[in-house]
Amino acid sequence: MSGPKDSVYSLSPERRREEERIRKEMLEKEKVRRQIEQASIEIQSNVKKAEEYVIHFKHSNSYQTDYEKNLSVFKKSMTDIYEELPVTIVSDNLSLLRGNLRVYEKAKEDIISKLAEMKTFLYEIEFSASEFKKETVKTFDISGRSQDDNGKVSVESTYLNFKKLLQPYLINQDITNKSEVKQLDRSVDSIYSDKGLDDQAKLELINMREKGFHIMKHKFDRKINETQRKKAEFEGLLIEYSSLCQLLDEEQRSFTFSSEKSGTDKSLLKELIAEQQIKLQKQTETELISSTIQEVMEELEYNVIGAEHLTTPKREIDHNVYEFNGNNVINSYVSDNGSVLFEVTGLKEDNQNLTDQEKLRIKEGMDEFCSVFPEVKDKLKERGVEVTLRTSLPASEEYARAINLAQIQETSKRGKRKRRQLNDTRKKS
């Protein structure tokens, strides 16, 4: 029985663990790369924001050349952090990738902190320029409140401190309903500008609203923390989903975080991830089997001369072509449904019929491979791949056919890249 040989394969426990390790490592590398890319995007965005703040300030009524040096220091500190970042994020070394991720995450935190300091500095300048009409000699009491010459807490400093306290909550994107904060902001503006109130009355009213805000603040902080937790969980799922899409060469669906519909999108993402995990397992298993067959065939001096990846509505198949006795080739087809087919064929351009002599040479090749196949099976078993024959058709000119090698070689680059990536991972174990 020497015609096409249809078999099923199974992996030994050791090779199964190896497949799982390879798959998890591939996914982890892709996830870390994407986390680095995301951190890099956020860093660049915040550096750009700093530049925009400076441009806006220079065109505002608050601008004074005296502040130029302070702004330059803020901007340079952020630019220096960005420019010192490592650029080797394309590395295939997981430890190096993780190290780079830590560097990028630390840089992101530092730049966010610097940007917050810069925003506070600009806010104070703009507020001072628009609100303070006279120079006030300031000292500070133990609570941090500014005092006037007579040691009294000033209305101006109390107003400014409360405005600074409200500012982060007014601009925070994680608070969807800011009506209460905005109402407080307008209320304190009205109190401060009310010429019918004396300073003591203003202080009492502003302090009353500040106490009310501190009660409200706990609710906002809980909301912010809850939204950030949901967002972090969502982004983690999104990174895993996009990484799987990249590894599977699939188009990625678009998802954007929304606190209102995060539960629905999260459930959908989990479903998609579960489906893709199964696909990735089949893909890495198929590539592992193809790679192992290639090792065996090359050990027997049958070198690979072509490879392609075939996709059908229900199957993904790796097809390798090996040189064999000059006139014929050996084909191995490894499918993600757990089957492997070995077949001897001739070589021919498309739309050319085989001559009787060519069919005879292919049949002779089938007979020759019959004596080789048991050794192929034994060597695969030594490597933890058990091949169980399901059907083996007889050597016959009836089954003789030819393939177009030139056409297959056009798609060889992608197939070889996949196997090369798999082999490199295995060599590091």
Side-chain angles (χ1 to χ4, degrees):
M1 305 292 284
S2 313
K5 302 180 185 303
D6 182 23
S7 309
V8 292
Y9 64 79
S10 60
L11 295 174
S12 67
E14 182 181 354
R15 291 309 294 273
R16 179 67 65 191
R17 288 192 294 271
E18 180 185 1
E19 181 277 324
E20 184 177 359
R21 178 188 63 78
I22 291 171
R23 173 165 39 91
K24 287 182 176 179
E25 187 172 313
M26 285 170 59
L27 180 56
E28 182 64 19
K29 285 177 185 177
E30 191 60 37
K31 285 166 67 175
V32 173
R33 288 190 191 101
R34 289 186 173 269
Q35 287 174 301
I36 292 173
E37 289 171 4
Q38 184 61 39
S40 178
I41 290 169
E42 291 181 35
I43 288 169
Q44 292 177 61
S45 174
N46 284 321
V47 170
K48 186 177 180 181
K49 281 181 184 177
E51 294 172 350
E52 290 171 352
Y53 289 156
V54 172
I55 293 170
H56 174 74
F57 177 69
K58 284 184 176 180
H59 290 86
S60 72
N61 295 329
S62 310
Y63 178 70
Q64 295 180 33
T65 55
D66 296 345
Y67 301 127
E68 191 76 48
K69 183 177 180 181
N70 302 73
L71 293 172
S72 297
V73 170
F74 278 121
K75 184 179 173 184
K76 186 176 186 306
S77 64
M78 286 184 270
T79 304
D80 287 348
I81 292 171
Y82 173 66
E83 291 180 348
E84 289 172 7
L85 287 170
V87 294
T88 56
I89 64 170
V90 293
S91 169
D92 199 45
N93 183 299
L94 185 55
S95 296
L96 180 59
L97 284 169
R98 285 173 173 162
N100 282 343
L101 178 58
R102 287 191 292 271
V103 172
Y104 271 76
E105 291 288 356
K106 177 65 167 56
K108 184 177 75 172
E109 291 173 6
D110 290 346
I111 285 181
I112 289 173
S113 176
K114 295 285 184 186
L115 188 64
E117 290 177 25
M118 185 181 188
K119 286 165 69 176
T120 300
F121 176 72
L122 289 171
Y123 176 77
E124 290 181 357
I125 293 171
E126 292 181 357
F127 175 82
S128 299
S130 61
E131 297 295 339
F132 290 131
K133 305 299 182 182
K134 60 182 179 179
E135 185 69 24
T136 303
V137 179
K138 298 177 182 178
T139 58
F140 290 88
D141 66 9
I142 194 168
S143 68
R145 292 187 180 280
S146 177
Q147 301 175 338
D148 61 19
D149 297 348
N150 299 317
K152 296 180 180 179
V153 177
S154 70
V155 175
E156 289 87 354
S157 68
T158 302
Y159 172 60
L160 175 60
N161 286 335
F162 190 31
K163 293 284 284 186
K164 286 169 62 177
L165 184 64
L166 290 176
Q167 186 65 15
Y169 295 87
L170 287 167
I171 64 175
N172 194 299
Q173 299 299 315
D174 294 328
I175 303 176
T176 52
N177 186 357
K178 301 185 177 73
S179 59
E180 292 174 290
V181 186
K182 289 178 179 178
Q183 185 177 350
L184 269 176
D185 189 52
R186 288 192 296 267
S187 175
V188 77
D189 284 343
S190 177
I191 292 167
Y192 180 71
S193 61
D194 191 341
K195 295 180 180 179
L197 296 173
D198 60 25
D199 285 358
Q200 186 59 35
K202 289 180 179 181
L203 280 172
E204 289 176 0
L205 289 170
I206 292 173
N207 285 332
M208 186 186 303
R209 279 153 180 76
E210 184 174 340
K211 287 178 183 177
F213 175 70
H214 278 291
I215 296 172
M216 227 189 292
K217 181 176 178 294
H218 294 297
K219 179 182 73 175
F220 289 133
D221 288 341
R222 285 196 300 272
K223 174 65 175 175
I224 291 170
N225 291 335
E226 177 65 14
T227 301
Q228 289 177 343
R229 183 190 65 78
K230 289 181 179 178
K231 189 174 183 180
E233 186 179 1
F234 178 84
E235 288 177 348
L237 290 171
L238 190 58
I239 284 174
E240 182 166 7
Y241 167 65
S242 62
S243 299
L244 285 162
C245 285
Q246 176 67 24
L247 291 172
L248 293 167
D249 195 23
E250 289 186 357
E251 187 175 349
Q252 180 180 332
R253 291 176 59 173
S254 178
F255 288 92
T256 304
F257 176 77
S258 168
S259 56
E260 287 79 10
K261 61 173 187 173
S262 62
T264 304
D265 282 351
K266 188 173 74 172
S267 298
L268 179 56
L269 275 171
K270 285 182 176 180
E271 289 177 12
L272 292 172
I273 287 169
E275 292 172 4
Q276 289 176 317
Q277 287 280 16
I278 294 172
K279 289 181 183 179
L280 184 62
Q281 179 181 352
K282 289 181 177 180
Q283 176 177 293
T284 53
E285 189 173 293
T286 300
E287 291 175 3
L288 181 65
I289 299 299
S290 291
S291 173
T292 306
I293 291 173
Q294 184 173 330
E295 287 177 16
V296 169
M297 297 298 281
E298 289 179 346
E299 183 180 320
L300 296 173
E301 298 184 351
Y302 302 120
N303 295 317
V304 64
I305 54 175
E308 63 179 342
H309 185 77
L310 305 173
T311 300
T312 71
K314 294 184 178 180
R315 292 186 188 177
E316 300 286 330
I317 302 168
D318 269 0
H319 175 206
N320 279 7
V321 184
Y322 300 92
E323 58 186 3
F324 183 58
N325 76 14
N327 297 313
N328 301 315
V329 292
I330 300 170
N331 300 268
S332 72
Y333 298 89
V334 181
S335 172
D336 61 1
N337 70 349
S339 66
V340 57
L341 174 71
F342 289 92
E343 181 185 20
V344 175
T345 66
L347 296 174
K348 201 83 170 178
E349 292 184 7
D350 280 348
N351 303 318
Q352 289 187 358
N353 294 324
L354 290 169
T355 64
D356 290 341
Q357 187 176 7
E358 288 169 334
K359 290 179 181 179
L360 179 61
R361 281 203 298 263
I362 293 171
K363 177 186 175 299
E364 291 171 350
M366 294 178 185
D367 286 327
E368 184 178 344
F369 183 60
C370 183
S371 61
V372 176
F373 185 64
E375 189 174 5
V376 172
K377 285 182 60 179
D378 289 342
K379 288 186 176 296
L380 286 172
K381 189 173 182 179
E382 290 171 6
R383 290 166 169 79
V385 178
E386 182 87 33
V387 174
T388 303
L389 199 62
R390 289 193 300 194
T391 58
S392 180
L393 297 172
S396 169
E397 295 177 24
E398 179 185 353
Y399 305 117
R401 70 183 190 91
I403 62 169
N404 186 341
L405 182 61
Q407 188 178 54
I408 292 173
Q409 286 174 335
E410 288 180 4
T411 59
S412 289
K413 187 176 180 181
R414 181 183 175 195
K416 287 182 179 179
R417 180 188 65 78
K418 283 187 177 182
R419 275 177 281 281
R420 189 181 304 118
Q421 181 184 33
L422 186 62
N423 285 330
D424 289 347
T425 306
R426 292 181 63 201
K427 288 174 184 175
K428 293 171 187 173
S429 59

